[in-house]
Amino acid sequence: HKQQKSKKEDQTMQDGNAPKKHDKGKNKNRTSKKNDAGSNNDKSKSNSNIKSNISHKKNSKNNKQQEEKKPKAGPKSNMDQHRKENEKQQQTPNLIPSIPPSQPQTTNDLNYKRGQRITVLHIAEKPSIAQAIAKGLSRESSFSSVPGALPTFEFTSPPFPKAPHASSCDHRVTSVAGHVYNVDFPTSYQSWDHVDPAELFHAPIVRKPCKGSVVKHLSDSAKGVHFIVLWLDCDREGENIAFEVLGCCMGKMEGNDEYDRVYRAYFSAINPSDIQKAYGALGKPDKNQSLAVDARQELDLKVGVAFSRFQTRYFQGRYGDL
């Protein structure tokens, strides 16, 4: 009986230490589930990677197609861009000089006409100022005068500072009588009855000589001269008159690069000392100030004529005593 009990106890001990078959089945199920979950995760990851690769390939193909559709910037397109930029630069001239026009400057070769005789034409705004300039530059020495409505004074000294190597210098001093040109409408806009005053704001303007004799006098005086010095009043109106004078003289001077040999005298008085000081510090004419006067003249013309015609047509016939 004791032996049987001991055998039973040994068997129970062995059964307690040995792993149960049911537990083994549970563990197997758990590990299989884990493996199934991992495989499902791997499959989902692989599927997502495949989808992302496919979408990336599609996007890259679309980008390539879009790039192929766009026009490629070849050498011809670059040349066209450069041409357009050059055309814009030519259409919009540079009105801002590197040196202010009133500052002393030299734009011609100082060796111009070395050892040769030169002629300088001085142009003032009035005959009285022309005579004062001739006296100031000739230092009260004798000078001859050519009579006329716009007299010309001639002398042979001093040397010209922009051509210091010339053998001698002949000076001619003449003048204009204010503005050389005025602005007006073309003949097609002269009718008060058939032209609406509002149309005048979009109408072109023409420049007409104030006196044809002045234009002829300037063109004759500028023939064959080597330099021109403008002695107009130092304000906007003077600058505008200076470019009107140049419009008559350019093309009459000797040689090419005529504007390089055009200078502007800036002075505040007509006594000999101020004239000689301005003569030694010549600058260039100011195009911007001249353009400002052109704009003011056009506005004065269009606003004044349009308003006058409008008033006349509005009040005409309304008041018998007016």
Side-chain angles (χ1 to χ4, degrees):
H1 183 70
K2 288 180 180 180
Q3 287 178 356
Q4 289 177 355
K5 282 183 179 180
S6 61
K7 287 180 180 179
K8 287 180 181 180
E9 288 175 358
D10 292 335
Q11 288 178 357
T12 54
M13 289 292 292
Q14 289 177 0
D15 295 332
N17 292 328
K20 296 181 180 179
K21 292 181 180 179
H22 182 70
D23 292 335
K24 285 181 181 180
K26 285 183 179 180
N27 291 329
K28 286 182 181 179
N29 291 329
R30 286 175 184 174
T31 54
S32 64
K33 285 181 181 180
K34 286 181 181 180
N35 293 327
D36 294 333
S39 63
N40 290 328
N41 290 329
D42 293 334
K43 288 180 181 179
S44 62
K45 285 181 181 179
S46 63
N47 291 328
S48 62
N49 290 329
I50 292 167
K51 289 180 181 179
S52 63
N53 291 328
I54 293 168
S55 62
H56 181 69
K57 288 180 180 179
K58 288 181 179 180
N59 292 328
S60 62
K61 287 182 180 179
N62 293 328
N63 292 330
K64 286 181 180 178
Q65 290 176 358
Q66 290 177 359
E67 288 177 357
E68 288 175 356
K69 289 180 181 179
K70 292 180 180 179
K72 294 183 180 181
K76 290 184 179 179
S77 61
N78 292 331
M79 290 294 292
D80 294 337
Q81 290 179 357
H82 288 302
R83 286 176 184 173
K84 290 179 181 179
E85 290 176 358
N86 292 329
E87 288 176 358
K88 286 182 180 179
Q89 290 177 359
Q90 291 176 2
Q91 292 174 0
T92 56
N94 184 17
L95 296 178
I96 303 175
S98 57
I99 302 174
S102 59
Q103 295 297 317
Q105 53 190 294
T106 301
T107 54
N108 65 280
D109 186 7
L110 290 176
N111 291 316
Y112 180 76
K113 294 293 180 181
R114 176 186 283 270
Q116 301 179 33
R117 195 180 189 91
I118 62 171
T119 303
V120 180
L121 176 64
H122 305 265
I123 302 174
E125 193 162 330
K126 294 183 290 185
S128 59
I129 298 177
Q131 186 176 7
I133 292 169
K135 288 181 179 179
L137 292 179
S138 62
R139 299 174 186 261
E140 300 295 335
S141 62
S142 61
F143 58 86
S144 61
S145 63
V146 179
L150 299 172
T152 302
F153 306 94
E154 298 178 348
F155 50 94
T156 57
S157 63
F160 191 56
K162 305 303 180 183
H165 303 293
S167 60
S168 60
C169 180
D170 294 331
H171 295 271
R172 299 177 193 168
V173 184
T174 188
S175 66
V176 294
H179 278 281
V180 182
Y181 296 94
N182 57 16
V183 294
D184 200 357
F185 290 109
T187 54
S188 58
Y189 290 88
Q190 295 293 339
S191 176
W192 286 50
D193 298 326
H194 298 91
V195 178
D196 187 1
E199 294 181 10
L200 297 176
F201 291 99
H202 304 284
I205 61 170
V206 293
R207 296 191 176 273
K208 299 178 180 179
C210 297
K211 291 181 179 180
S213 58
V214 175
V215 176
K216 186 178 184 304
H217 171 71
L218 290 172
S219 60
D220 291 341
S221 300
K223 286 181 180 179
V225 301
H226 302 96
F227 292 90
I228 291 178
V229 181
L230 302 165
W231 293 81
L232 291 309
D233 290 350
C234 298
D235 54 13
R236 286 186 174 182
E237 295 294 330
E239 295 295 334
N240 190 257
I241 297 172
F243 281 95
E244 290 178 355
V245 169
L246 290 178
C248 301
C249 297
M250 300 300 286
K252 306 294 183 180
M253 300 171 64
E254 183 180 302
N256 299 322
D257 300 328
E258 294 173 305
Y259 190 73
D260 291 342
R261 291 178 277 115
V262 172
Y263 289 94
R264 176 76 159 94
Y266 291 91
F267 59 100
S268 57
I270 55 174
N271 55 64
S273 61
D274 285 344
I275 289 173
Q276 292 171 13
K277 183 179 178 181
Y279 181 71
L282 297 175
K284 300 291 286 187
D286 193 343
K287 183 66 175 177
N288 287 320
Q289 292 194 41
S290 177
L291 291 174
V293 176
D294 288 342
R296 193 265 307 159
Q297 289 177 344
E298 185 174 352
L299 285 172
D300 287 348
L301 175 69
K302 292 186 174 181
V303 174
V305 174
F307 188 70
S308 298
R309 292 186 186 183
F310 172 77
Q311 272 192 322
T312 302
R313 294 173 64 176
Y314 181 81
F315 289 109
Q316 194 173 20
R318 296 198 176 198
Y319 303 96
D321 297 333
L322 185 63

